[in-house]
Amino acid sequence: MGNSGENKSSLTLAEEATVGLLLALSEVGELPARPWPLVAACQVLTKRLPAASPYSAQLGLATDSVRGESVVAAWMLVLAEAGSVSSRGQMAYAAWIPAAGWIEGWKLAADNLPRDEAQAWIAAAQTLTRTLSIWRNASSAA
């Protein structure tokens, strides 16, 4: 993504893989439209991935405290344009729903993560699951 966090017509493979692998590993069926849980998971990846990981460079903008949420939101819009996710609901209930076939492909990729990166991805997926629980509880209360 560019420094502005604006939407573009395609994602790098690392950007799409970040979202796909996190959703596949966490086995979640939806993400809130405001992607703070996904940003939190990206922050865990940034801290835990080996420096040589091809994902490390892509995560810098996604975890930036000022622009991170807009960068990840732009990723989701591109995925929606590609048909990888669809939107549902409004306001506090607005969510992204991943396409089943798209997630299945990332489940296969998740099974083949490099050993030196696997623990970072698992920790990030656990963060995503925990933050989604917070979102669901807040949505229920709204």
Side-chain angles (χ1 to χ4, degrees):
M1 289 268 93
N3 286 343
S4 65
E6 293 177 6
N7 188 15
K8 64 179 187 178
S9 61
S10 65
L11 296 177
T12 66
L13 179 57
E15 292 165 341
E16 181 176 356
T18 297
V19 177
L21 287 169
L22 286 170
L23 291 175
L25 287 165
S26 62
E27 298 182 358
V28 299
E30 64 183 353
L31 286 172
R34 292 197 58 212
W36 60 270
L38 196 52
V39 172
C42 288
Q43 289 169 342
V44 170
L45 278 176
T46 299
K47 292 176 185 170
R48 295 191 177 210
L49 278 175
S53 172
Y55 300 97
S56 295
Q58 299 300 324
L59 293 170
L61 285 175
T63 59
D64 180 273
S65 62
V66 175
R67 297 173 292 190
E69 196 168 310
S70 65
V71 168
V72 176
W75 292 359
M76 298 308 295
L77 289 173
V78 173
L79 289 172
E81 290 171 2
S84 301
V85 299
S86 58
S87 62
R88 181 187 75 202
Q90 298 177 24
M91 305 195 48
Y93 304 103
W96 293 111
I97 310 301
W102 183 73
I103 285 295
E104 287 304 315
W106 289 112
K107 284 181 181 177
L108 292 173
D111 290 339
N112 294 302
L113 284 169
R115 189 172 300 183
D116 64 333
E117 294 188 16
Q119 289 304 314
W121 285 98
I122 290 167
Q126 289 170 343
T127 296
L128 180 60
T129 302
R130 282 191 303 273
T131 55
L132 285 172
S133 177
I134 294 167
W135 170 65
R136 286 184 190 106
N137 289 338
S139 293
S140 295

